[in-house]
Structures are given as C-alpha cells and as structure tokens.
Amino acid sequence: MAGCRGRIRMTNLHRLNSISELSTLSPNDTTTPPTHYFQVTKPINLPKTKPCSHLVLRHDFAFTYGKSPVLAPYSPPSHCPSHQKFSKIVLLWNATSKGRQFDRIFGVWLDGVELLRSCTAEPRTNGIVWSVEKDVTRYYSLLLNKNQNQTLAVYLGNLVDKTYTGVYHVNVSFQFYPIEENLVDGYDSWADLVMPISRNLPLNDGLWFEIKNSTDFALKELKIPQNVYRAVLEVYVSFHENDEFWYSNLPNEYIDANNLTSTPGNGPFREVLVSIDGVVVGSIWPFTVIFTGGVNPLLWRPITAIGSFDLPSYNIEITPFLGEILDGKSHEIGFNVTNALNVWYIDANLHLWLDKKSEKTQGQVSKHVSTPLVVSLVSNFSGLDGTFLTSTSRSIKLTGWVNSSYGNITTGSIQDFSYQNSIVMGNNGNMQIVRQDIHFNDSVQAENSQSLQVHSFESLKKFSLFLYSDTFDQGNKTYLSISNVSLGYNEKKKSKGSADSGFEKSSLKNHQSGQGNMVVKNNLVVSGIGNTQQVYKYNGVDLCYFRNISSSNYTILYDNVGSKCSKTTQLHNHRGLGFHRLWPIHSRRVSLWSGLVNSKPKGG
C-alpha cells in the first residue's frame, strides 16, 4: 500500500520492521487528552480582514486503499460578496485519529491541480489531532473560477482491521481573506491559468504519476494557450518504499559482493529530471523529508520532521522555452528519476500568465545548455563494513525571448546543483552513518529590448542531513536500537521587480535534530525514548519569525517564540510600477505496531 512508510534496507533496520509499541496508556483511557502533532514553520502573514470560511469536504478515511479518491464538488464561496477580491487564500486540513495506524501519504487536488502533498500523523490510544495551514493564494485564478464546475479530490489510502484501528477523520476547508483597503493590488499578480500535469480521474489511487525504476518515464500531453508570456512549472515530489531512504542506499557492487538480495541499492544519489518534448528543461534534487514513522517514530511526537506535513514543491522557470510550445499544438511534459527504485510520486502544475491584449505571442529559444551528469563514487569496503563517498554536480541554463504587448522580453534561467554524500558501514553492517549536503541554486533574469531589468529572482538553498543508526544484540531475542538524525533546510532569496524598484530579501535557517533509542523484544518495543530539538529562524520583508523548541516522548520541554527581525538582515521593499506587477515574486522506517501477516499494506 502506498503510505508514507517504506521498507528499510540496512541489516539493523530490517530488524525493526513490524514491531509494536507497548503503550503506557490504557485502551480505556478517557482522561488523557488527545496529543496535538505539529510541524514547526512560520505563520502565514494574514491581512486584518475577516475571512470567509468555506468547508468543502468532510470524510472518515478507513477502507480507502486501492479505491477512488474521495471527491467533492467545489465552487467559489457563495456567501462571500461576489464583487469582493481577496489578498490571501488559505487551505485548512484538520484531522483526528485514535488507536493504531501507519503513517499515510496523501494529496489534495482541485481539478487535477495539486494543492497539498502531506503525510498523516500516527495515532495513539488517547487520540491525536493535527492540522495543516497552507497559503494557496498562488492558485487564485483556479480557486475563484466561476465559469465551470470543479472537483476537489483527496487520496489517503488507509486500511482498518482488528490490529490497525486508526481511522482518519478529516475536514478540508478554505479561508478567503478580503483585500484590505490600503493594500496595493497584489491579488492580480498570480498566474491567469493553472494547468494540471497529473493523471486523469477516474483512478483507484492518487493523481500523481508513479516512477518505479530508473528507466520509467511519466508523460503528459497538453496544449497551452497561444497568448502566454510567462510560464512556471511547479513540481511535487515524494519518495517511498525502496527509495524512501534513498540517501542511505548503498552501491550495487557492495550489495552484490555481500549477496544482499533484498537490500535496495543504486547508490545514494537521486535526481528528478523534467523535460518538454524530450528536452531537459529543469531538475530537482529534493529535500530529504522524513515521514512521521521514519527512523524512530518517537522522534516525531509531537514535533514532526521538516516538511512532513507540507512537502515542498519546486518551481522551474520555463519562460525561455515558450517559443517551442506556443504553436497551438500538443506537447509532452515528462518526468524521470535518475537511479530510481520503486516508488516515486510526481506531478506538477503549470502556471501561465496570459497577454490579455493579444491573441498570440511569439517566442524563441536562443540558448540551452545542460551539462552532463558525472557521478564520482569512491568505495572502500571489506565484507559488510566500509566507506562510500559520492559526489556530483550539474548546471542547466536556458535563455529565450517572448514578444507580447508588453514588448520583447528576454528571460534567462539558471539551475546550479552540487551534491556530496558519505556513508560509513560498521559493526558488521549493523551500524550506518550518513552525511549528505545538497546545494540547489536557481536564478531568473528578465530584460526588455532596452536591456532594462523587468524581473530578477535568486534562490540559494542548502539541504543537509546526518543519520546515525546502530543495533546491539541483548540476548533472549532482545536488541537495542540507537538512532540520531539531523536535518537542515536553509534558503536565501533575493528578488527585484522593475528597474526602479529595490530588492526584496528573505532568509530561512531551519535545523532539527533528534536522538532516540528503543529496546525491542519479540518485535515489541518494551521501552524507548525520542528527543527532538528544532531552531527555526525566518527574516523576510513583511514577517520575521523565530522558534526554539524541544520535546521528549510526546512532552514539550521548552518552546520559545519571537517575531523580531535580525538587525544584521537588511530588507528593502520598494515596489516599482509598471511591468513589475506582471512578473510576480512568489514569495528509516520503523513501525511501532505489530505487523499484519496477510493484510499488511504495501509500504510507501
């Protein structure tokens, strides 16, 4: 079954499959309140206006695996004044569950456009609650489309039986915040049209494409309007089963030499490639999201891992390539994953800006450079112990012009990537240490025919990971499992509108670490602990946010929150006029439960 969880490849981690936590709570406990799970992130910067709330779906997800997504009709809220415009739209996912259950991957789509990719929390005897709030204003034209009947689809594959009793009770709603009187018209800066690059209903699964191996391609044909002047492809990515922990996968030569036939391999490097008509136009080297049942589930209670409740999507500027697809014909957008094992879930949304003063724009690609990927691997092992160093880099550059009623605009986009991974195996294959750094930088520059800047954007990202895991035999069918993990998501952004506007800057430093151990006997966790610490620091134009928090086995130890901007961060917000408005600036798997013999769903 496609859940967040997946199989583990290492010798020690294989032993942790299908184990169960001995709950300290009585099954009949009615006094302990439900546990509130949450992901640490900055709050959405909301206007002061009162929102219109619009409940779209309410459903209990129980026997939903292998069945059609749950569907609900959608239309813009009729109880909001029809003439009103909105400066912010927020998707609200509220859920509860009680009992035992695995974590499950799920998605929310509106007419095939994915709005949210997320993972459920794992319930406990006294029950849990969690919510996700996501700013979905960038889908403004889709959410406020009054010209057609639309369908909201939610896929959350779940199974319930006498062992896995957790049902997910879910509400999905939207909040529409009216524009403030003194607010600059920013609502119309979003794309005029958002087209889905996903599978079509009816389905007995999510709308995402499944990439099952390194030669597998997902393809979707589409025809775009001929008056497009800007295009951005937003890609959703998640990894499951044999590739859930791809960053710890070992080289095939090690697996073959040790006859580890059930251990996932292909090494620790993965790359999502995006193509149009077979030409590579962009790449994604994804952040290492750990789901709520991963490594040691006690680490993520109640603070979940970075990105687990709201998986990041990735933007690829394809405006330079528009000249190849403005001919009114169908074209093919494709996805594949380098070194992939079963399974990756991928889909995308194509954001298009339309020239309302012209029926047809024209364009041409003037430069396209994609450096070949060369992966360096240095292996040194004897038996099950050894070291493995993997590194690589890539650059993709596109330049092209589009002629519209706004003039002849030349856009250049650059993606630069670098990757380093080291794996140490010890203790006869029972111990593994993984260190990984991904540098993921992209920039966009747009100029008019007078070489005046129309728009610029730069993002510098660093994704870091450290993972230590080991097991020690205690005798009497008992062993001790120890795991330490550290995650980092850092990003600096800089953007600029028209030539007479200033820079808008933001920075994010998000670091999380956890230490856990479990004593396991006869596939039951007889004792264990998970400690988690996280420091989140964001400085932006309109919002600054700081949070330093720590937990241990469901209990918050401290939680310090602040909203003062760093004095060392200089932020400038001088909005220009004219074309600036046309170029918006957007701003190891361990189950705690005993396994099912015949009805256990396939891991995801």
Side-chain angles (χ1 to χ4, degrees):
M1 177 178 182
C4 298
R5 62 192 183 81
R7 303 185 185 95
I8 298 299
R9 80 276 303 125
M10 298 317 305
T11 306
N12 60 324
L13 296 178
H14 275 301
R15 298 177 64 182
L16 296 179
N17 279 342
S18 303
I19 62 175
S20 177
E21 178 187 22
L22 292 180
S23 176
T24 58
L25 298 173
S26 166
N28 299 318
D29 187 323
T30 58
T31 59
T32 304
T35 303
H36 176 225
Y37 287 52
F38 58 94
Q39 176 183 312
V40 174
T41 187
K42 70 180 186 297
I44 299 173
N45 193 23
L46 298 172
K48 297 178 181 179
T49 53
K50 183 179 179 180
C52 297
S53 186
H54 186 32
L55 177 64
V56 180
L57 181 144
R58 177 180 286 125
H59 190 79
D60 300 330
F61 290 85
F63 302 95
T64 51
Y65 168 64
K67 296 184 179 180
S68 171
V70 176
L71 307 179
Y74 173 88
S75 59
S78 58
H79 57 285
C80 293
S82 58
H83 65 277
Q84 209 157 37
K85 296 180 179 179
F86 305 96
S87 60
K88 192 74 69 175
I89 306 174
V90 177
L91 183 154
L92 297 178
W93 169 282
N94 293 300
T96 64
S97 187
K98 188 175 183 179
R100 295 179 176 179
Q101 195 52 263
F102 287 108
D103 51 351
R104 309 295 192 191
I105 193 72
F106 67 87
V108 179
W109 294 264
L110 181 58
D111 267 14
V113 171
E114 184 160 9
L115 306 180
L116 174 68
R117 180 82 59 92
S118 184
C119 179
T120 65
E122 290 191 344
R124 58 190 308 214
T125 304
N126 62 308
I128 61 167
V129 296
W130 88 96
S131 62
V132 180
E133 297 184 5
K134 181 173 181 178
D135 185 349
V136 292
T137 316
R138 71 180 302 184
Y139 310 105
Y140 191 99
S141 60
L142 178 72
L143 291 163
L144 273 297
N145 187 348
K146 300 178 181 179
N147 298 323
Q148 64 182 53
N149 296 323
Q150 296 175 289
T151 300
L152 187 86
V154 177
Y155 182 79
L156 192 168
N158 195 23
L159 286 178
V160 174
D161 60 18
K162 63 180 181 180
T163 302
Y164 296 92
T165 58
V167 176
Y168 290 108
H169 309 283
V170 174
N171 288 347
V172 179
S173 59
F174 294 89
Q175 289 188 328
F176 295 80
Y177 288 82
I179 192 168
E180 293 178 286
E181 292 182 3
N182 61 346
L183 188 68
V184 177
D185 288 347
Y187 59 86
D188 62 352
S189 64
W190 305 104
D192 300 292
L193 177 65
V194 185
M195 299 182 68
I197 315 296
S198 59
R199 295 193 295 176
N200 298 325
L201 293 170
L203 290 167
N204 291 324
D205 199 349
L207 278 68
W208 43 56
F209 297 102
E210 294 187 8
I211 303 294
K212 298 181 179 180
N213 55 59
S214 59
T215 61
D216 202 0
F217 276 80
L219 301 171
K220 180 69 177 281
E221 281 195 358
L222 80 161
K223 183 190 302 183
I224 70 170
Q226 291 186 268
N227 63 333
V228 174
Y229 69 86
R230 189 188 179 197
V232 173
L233 192 66
E234 177 196 16
V235 184
Y236 281 87
V237 172
S238 60
F239 27 85
H240 310 274
E241 296 188 24
N242 288 332
D243 255 2
E244 181 174 351
F245 304 96
W246 51 268
Y247 41 84
S248 65
N249 280 21
L250 289 157
N252 292 337
E253 60 174 321
Y254 171 90
I255 292 172
D256 294 340
N258 289 285
N259 196 29
L260 302 175
T261 56
S262 61
T263 300
N266 282 6
F269 174 73
R270 299 293 183 271
E271 173 188 47
V272 179
L273 286 173
V274 181
S275 62
I276 299 179
D277 294 335
V279 178
V280 173
V281 295
S283 178
I284 297 160
W285 295 16
F287 175 71
T288 50
V289 175
I290 297 178
F291 299 119
T292 55
V295 182
N296 176 347
L298 291 174
L299 296 174
W300 319 122
R301 304 179 178 214
I303 306 171
T304 68
I306 297 173
S308 57
F309 277 0
D310 183 7
L311 273 71
S313 61
Y314 305 87
N315 294 328
I316 298 176
E317 184 85 32
I318 62 170
T319 304
F321 205 77
L322 276 176
E324 298 294 314
I325 57 176
L326 284 171
D327 54 7
K329 299 178 181 179
S330 293
H331 295 271
E332 211 168 49
I333 294 184
F335 308 98
N336 69 293
V337 182
T338 303
N339 298 329
L341 296 176
N342 189 43
V343 61
W344 289 65
Y345 295 155
I346 301 175
D347 62 19
N349 306 320
L350 183 56
H351 298 252
L352 301 174
W353 285 257
L354 307 180
D355 185 354
K356 298 179 178 62
K357 297 181 180 180
S358 174
E359 293 183 358
K360 188 173 182 179
T361 57
Q362 294 179 321
Q364 182 176 313
V365 178
S366 51
K367 186 177 183 180
H368 176 224
V369 178
S370 179
T371 58
L373 185 71
V374 179
V375 179
S376 170
L377 170 62
V378 179
S379 298
N380 182 15
F381 66 92
S382 176
L384 292 170
D385 295 346
T387 60
F388 309 88
L389 303 176
T390 306
S391 61
T392 188
S393 62
R394 181 193 281 278
S395 179
I396 300 174
K397 301 178 181 179
L398 277 172
T399 305
W401 57 263
V402 174
N403 192 22
S404 69
S405 65
Y406 305 110
N408 191 301
I409 308 298
T410 298
T411 302
S413 66
I414 301 175
Q415 287 188 308
D416 281 317
F417 304 89
S418 67
Y419 167 94
Q420 289 186 325
N421 176 288
S422 69
I423 297 177
V424 177
M425 300 298 300
N427 190 18
N428 197 33
N430 286 301
M431 185 273 291
Q432 184 184 46
I433 301 173
V434 181
R435 290 182 174 89
Q436 179 172 287
D437 284 321
I438 294 175
H439 292 267
F440 181 170
N441 304 327
D442 54 281
S443 62
V444 178
Q445 298 280 346
E447 296 180 346
N448 62 19
S449 56
Q450 287 77 44
S451 298
L452 295 177
Q453 181 175 283
V454 171
H455 167 72
S456 70
F457 173 81
E458 183 180 49
S459 169
L460 308 177
K461 294 179 284 290
K462 180 182 179 181
F463 304 151
S464 59
L465 172 135
F466 171 83
L467 176 62
Y468 167 89
S469 59
D470 203 351
T471 60
F472 301 90
D473 194 340
Q474 306 288 290
N476 194 27
K477 297 182 180 180
T478 303
Y479 63 90
L480 170 67
S481 170
I482 298 176
S483 56
N484 295 334
V485 63
S486 177
L487 296 169
Y489 189 116
N490 296 337
E491 182 175 18
K492 292 183 179 180
K493 291 182 181 180
K494 182 172 66 173
S495 57
K496 192 175 188 292
S498 56
D500 60 346
S501 67
F503 283 104
E504 296 182 355
K505 299 180 181 180
S506 67
S507 66
L508 170 64
K509 293 182 179 180
N510 191 4
H511 183 266
Q512 189 175 49
S513 58
Q515 311 81 37
N517 64 73
M518 295 183 291
V519 175
V520 182
K521 182 175 182 179
N522 293 327
N523 287 335
L524 293 176
V525 179
V526 296
S527 63
I529 190 170
N531 298 318
T532 302
Q533 307 85 39
Q534 186 167 359
V535 178
Y536 183 102
K537 186 176 183 180
Y538 175 83
N539 286 324
V541 173
D542 301 316
L543 174 70
C544 292
Y545 183 75
F546 171 83
R547 191 169 188 180
N548 184 7
I549 188 170
S550 177
S551 67
S552 179
N553 277 25
Y554 301 98
T555 301
I556 299 297
L557 302 180
Y558 58 81
D559 188 3
N560 301 315
V561 179
S563 58
K564 291 185 178 180
C565 291
S566 170
K567 294 182 180 180
T568 60
T569 303
Q570 295 182 352
L571 302 174
H572 306 279
N573 183 14
H574 305 294
R575 297 186 182 274
L577 302 175
F579 209 93
H580 169 59
R581 288 177 56 191
L582 303 172
W583 290 80
I585 299 165
H586 305 307
S587 307
R588 262 151 228 334
R589 171 72 38 196
V590 178
S591 168
L592 294 183
W593 314 117
S594 58
L596 298 175
V597 177
N598 296 319
S599 58
K600 180 178 178 180
K602 181 180 69 175

